[in-house]
Amino acid sequence: MTQVLDKPLELKAPPSPAERTARRRSLLEWIAVHSLGIAAALFFTLPFVFVLLTSLMSDSQALSRDLIPHTWEWDNYRKVFDTPGFLTWWRNTLFYAFLGTALTVISSIPVAYALAKFRFRGRNLALMLVISMMMLPPQVIIIPMYLFWAKQLDLSGSLWPLIIPMAFGDAFSIFLLRQFLTTIPDEYVDAAKVDGCGDLRTLLKVVLPMAKPGIAAVALFQFFYAWNDYFGPQIYASENPGAWTLSYGLESFKGAHHTDWNLTMAATVLVMAPVILVFFFAQKAFVEGVTLTGVKG
Amino acid sequence: MSTYTLRAKHRRSTLRTLAFLSPWLIGFTVFFAYPLVSTVYFSFMRYDGFRPPVWTGTKNWTYVFEHYPLFWPALRNTLWLVVIMVTLRVAFGLGVGLLITKIKTATGVFRTLFYLPYLAPPVAATMAFAFLLNPGTGPVNSLLEKTGLPAPGWFNDPSWSKPALTLLALWGIGDLMVIFMAALLDVPKEQYEAAQLDGATPWQRFRYVTLPNISPIVVFAVVTGVIQTMQYYTQPLIAGKVASGVIQGAGTLFEPGYPDKSTLTLPQLVYNLGFQRFDYGSACVVALVLFALSMAFTALLMRRKGGLIQAGER
């Protein structure tokens, strides 16, 4: 306390009229920006809040127009887990997401490295083709792909037709990683060469440790892709409920519990929650990845 | 160095490049080039997956364009979404990006809140919105009625179902916000200062300093938005299914694009023709229309100096 009192009070000259209008304007701007910010925050968060509140309502109240639960039915979440199949969907989703992510990362790294650091004829063409693959709606080639996996290899009713292709590089991951690797100066690569490192060793010992944030971003995107995928499981796994994933099963949940909005919303929360949890642990890598796709050339 | 060693060196570097590219070279051939050619091939075949394919010339093509009742509504819906949804998404994403650069209090909290919806799995987000916008029991309409505003039928009304989908798309704007925010922070401060000295109004500063600086990102956002819309599948399908109250596996037939074909998109037709009607040939025709449209937009991207292509030319 005394410390504060010891300090001489700073006396400021009274603000001039011009300064006063400037200050008033900046205050008004501050208020405008923050009111808009709060309005936007409500738009982005209220859906989550309503879903959470409904997931804790009783069956009958979920059909009413009330916004706040009368009694908090935490039991709803247990009921969701008791629904036949729900745990299987979890297992399948985790399997698809983890194995798919691992395969994608392992197979995309060397391709991205070659596209970023090797000089060879047709490099730009290769890059263009990667971008075209990225742009192609999956529905364009789904008929021959389905016939290939289901009729020729007899793998329908499983997630393998979605997992196996990930061992052969994923266009988006290659592109994103390549973007990241171009930001690593060539000098590091050249220095490793001078020291007698082969290509593979240069990649593993020099480039990869520096590329960790890029790899983390690719892994996260791929994980979320598998987690969110609806079309793939619908095509290949729909006939076999034992192979369903959370995203695919969730929709059928609404069917099984036709009017139970409370249970449906509890299941919805349970499908959203892991993604959001992962995000909080890996926020930086994720945001960096999003930026990399759009901004850094 | 003798010619021999030079040639050997060259051959070694070619082999090395091929080795590194090999996963993708296989993937490209097996999972891209081959199926693409097959799609063209099947579009001239009658094939149901059981009997062997029969060459039918352009019959599938005339069927899709002239007799398949869902094709033109789906194409119209896709174009509606490309024009209106993409425009609004880019405008809103830019707006929120600008807003977040101006917020000086608890920026991290605001940014996270704005970003989270982008992460919500599409099926979960659509289920949530189908509930929120449910005309009978949804909280949104009960709030609207309390404030005396009109309460639309949203996913149950053909003229409101696409706006409802647009609202869902605007909710998940997080990725664009981040991209725009990064671009906005990269605009040189000196240019703003110079504009301010010249007495430029805030609008003039936005129009003549901000926009030209971020225009590659705007192009990028538009083109990727259009490509995403070409693939728009899960959200309209789930919204239509949930709103129509179809029960899976109970023998209820789902009306495609409920209500009144208003949420039908081209990717849904590929599924409808191929996996519900087992008319693989006609499904391939729709797939090729989709392919032509996406390639046309990709070509646009290759020509304009967007963010993506700067990367490609480096």
Side-chain angles (χ1 to χ4, degrees):
Chain A
M1 287 300 267
T2 40
Q3 283 284 328
V4 178
L5 287 175
D6 284 348
K7 266 189 183 169
L9 276 171
E10 249 181 74
L11 287 176
K12 277 183 194 158
S16 68
E19 257 176 352
R20 207 177 282 172
T21 38
R23 211 177 284 174
R24 193 171 300 155
R25 184 177 291 162
S26 78
L27 179 70
L28 280 177
E29 200 190 297
W30 192 92
I31 293 171
V33 162
H34 286 76
S35 337
L36 271 177
I38 289 165
L42 286 177
F43 171 69
F44 288 118
T45 41
L46 275 184
F48 286 119
V49 173
F50 284 139
V51 166
L52 263 176
L53 288 175
T54 307
S55 76
L56 294 168
M57 287 179 181
S58 66
D59 301 357
S60 55
Q61 208 201 339
L63 285 172
S64 74
R65 314 195 79 174
D66 296 342
L67 298 177
I68 313 281
H70 297 312
T71 51
W72 299 77
E73 306 277 342
W74 294 98
D75 206 35
N76 287 345
Y77 283 88
R78 193 189 53 77
K79 283 186 198 156
V80 171
F81 273 104
D82 283 349
T83 307
F86 197 72
L87 284 173
T88 315
W89 305 343
W90 270 91
R91 217 183 35 233
N92 293 337
T93 309
L94 290 173
F95 178 70
Y96 175 26
F98 276 111
L99 186 57
T101 303
L103 288 175
T104 303
V105 169
I106 293 169
S107 60
S108 300
I109 284 173
V111 182
Y113 179 61
L115 288 176
K117 296 293 176 205
F118 290 0
R119 261 171 232 101
F120 58 91
R121 264 177 56 197
R123 188 175 74 158
N124 277 340
L125 176 71
L127 198 60
M128 290 286 178
L129 289 176
V130 169
I131 293 174
S132 320
M133 275 176 91
M134 219 165 83
M135 298 291 177
L136 190 82
Q139 290 85 8
V140 171
I141 53 169
I142 193 63
I143 301 290
M145 281 328 301
Y146 173 78
L147 295 173
F148 174 70
W149 290 110
K151 306 276 175 194
Q152 279 171 346
L153 300 180
D154 199 22
L155 276 174
S156 66
S158 78
L159 295 168
W160 289 112
L162 302 171
I163 295 173
I164 296 169
M166 291 177 171
F168 298 97
D170 164 70
F172 176 71
S173 307
I174 293 172
F175 176 72
L176 189 67
L177 259 180
R178 183 245 169 218
Q179 295 295 86
F180 193 88
L181 293 179
T182 48
T183 64
I184 294 177
D186 286 345
E187 284 77 30
Y188 288 102
V189 179
D190 296 338
K193 292 266 163 62
V194 171
D195 288 349
C197 273
D199 287 307
L200 203 59
R201 261 188 67 188
T202 310
L203 172 60
L204 292 177
K205 299 278 174 197
V206 180
V207 177
L208 279 194
M210 282 191 276
K212 269 184 195 152
I215 293 169
V218 165
L220 275 171
F221 274 118
Q222 198 61 19
F223 188 86
F224 286 161
Y225 168 79
W227 195 275
N228 295 341
D229 189 12
Y230 176 89
F231 184 65
Q234 187 192 24
I235 295 293
Y236 295 108
S238 59
E239 60 189 68
N240 172 18
W244 287 5
T245 59
L246 275 173
S247 274
Y248 187 68
L250 180 61
E251 183 238 325
S252 80
F253 196 89
K254 174 71 180 70
H257 297 265
H258 184 43
T259 47
D260 299 346
W261 276 118
N262 55 343
L263 294 191
T264 308
M265 287 303 110
T268 303
V269 170
L270 287 171
V271 175
M272 285 184 180
V275 176
I276 288 166
L277 221 64
V278 170
F279 170 73
F280 276 111
F281 283 111
Q283 218 179 94
K284 212 176 139 247
F286 205 74
V287 169
E288 206 163 292
V290 170
T291 325
L292 213 52
T293 52
V295 181
K296 286 183 193 159
Chain B
M1 219 184 279
S2 75
T3 332
Y4 175 74
T5 45
L6 250 180
R7 200 176 290 163
K9 208 177 161 198
H10 185 74
R11 190 181 307 138
R12 236 191 25 229
S13 93
T14 308
L15 278 178
R16 152 194 98 152
T17 305
L18 284 176
F20 274 76
L21 291 180
S22 59
W24 174 72
L25 287 173
I26 298 168
F28 179 82
T29 317
V30 181
F31 304 119
F32 185 81
Y34 153 75
L36 202 53
V37 174
S38 303
T39 301
V40 178
Y41 169 76
F42 281 125
S43 75
F44 298 106
M45 295 293 197
R46 190 177 65 221
Y47 188 40
D48 60 7
F50 299 102
R51 283 164 296 181
V54 183
W55 180 269
T56 55
T58 53
K59 263 193 184 152
N60 293 328
W61 292 81
T62 43
Y63 169 69
V64 166
F65 290 132
E66 285 170 20
H67 304 292
Y68 181 47
L70 304 180
F71 177 74
W72 293 105
L75 185 65
R76 269 199 301 276
N77 288 339
T78 300
L79 293 177
W80 190 101
L81 293 167
V82 162
V83 174
I84 296 185
M85 200 163 89
V86 174
T87 311
L88 288 178
R89 254 180 72 91
V90 173
F92 189 60
L94 177 56
V96 174
L98 271 170
L99 183 65
I100 203 81
T101 58
K102 297 261 188 260
I103 291 178
K104 296 284 185 270
T105 326
T107 318
V109 176
F110 276 107
R111 205 171 58 188
T112 308
L113 291 183
F114 294 0
Y115 188 71
L116 280 184
Y118 166 68
L119 296 173
V123 177
T126 313
M127 301 270 289
F129 264 65
F131 164 69
L132 296 169
L133 299 176
N134 187 308
T137 57
V140 169
N141 273 14
S142 66
L143 283 181
L144 286 176
E145 276 165 23
K146 266 179 204 155
T147 47
L149 289 162
W154 301 113
F155 289 121
N156 292 86
D157 178 347
S159 52
W160 276 97
S161 55
K162 281 191 284 289
L165 285 171
T166 309
L167 203 62
L168 171 61
L170 292 182
W171 186 61
I173 206 73
D175 55 337
L176 287 182
M177 173 197 73
V178 168
I179 290 171
F180 277 125
M181 188 186 73
L184 289 166
L185 293 175
D186 272 353
V187 177
K189 289 231 164 41
E190 306 83 57
Q191 294 188 14
Y192 284 119
E193 281 157 15
Q196 195 130 33
L197 280 179
D198 290 344
T201 62
W203 166 250
Q204 284 171 327
R205 263 177 283 158
F206 176 75
R207 174 70 190 78
Y208 297 106
V209 179
T210 312
L211 263 190
N213 271 296
I214 62 165
S215 68
I217 303 304
V218 175
V219 173
F220 171 83
V222 169
V223 179
T224 50
V226 170
I227 302 288
Q228 276 167 20
T229 312
M230 295 271 117
Q231 313 181 6
Y232 201 48
Y233 178 80
T234 309
Q235 290 89 334
L237 179 71
I238 301 293
K241 276 189 172 181
V242 175
S244 70
V246 66
I247 300 177
Q248 233 186 20
T252 339
L253 213 71
F254 168 62
E255 181 205 325
Y258 177 89
D260 194 23
K261 302 176 192 134
S262 64
T263 56
L264 211 57
T265 59
L266 288 174
Q268 276 173 270
L269 296 194
V270 179
Y271 184 80
N272 178 264
L273 281 167
F275 300 98
Q276 290 178 309
R277 294 162 177 248
F278 302 104
D279 182 352
Y280 293 125
S282 302
C284 284
V285 173
V286 177
L288 287 172
V289 173
L290 197 59
F291 176 63
L293 282 173
S294 338
M295 281 302 114
F297 285 116
T298 310
L300 202 77
L301 168 80
M302 299 291 174
R303 276 191 35 208
R304 296 290 295 272
K305 299 278 173 198
L308 258 182
I309 207 48
Q310 281 173 358
E313 279 168 356
R314 211 150 99 165

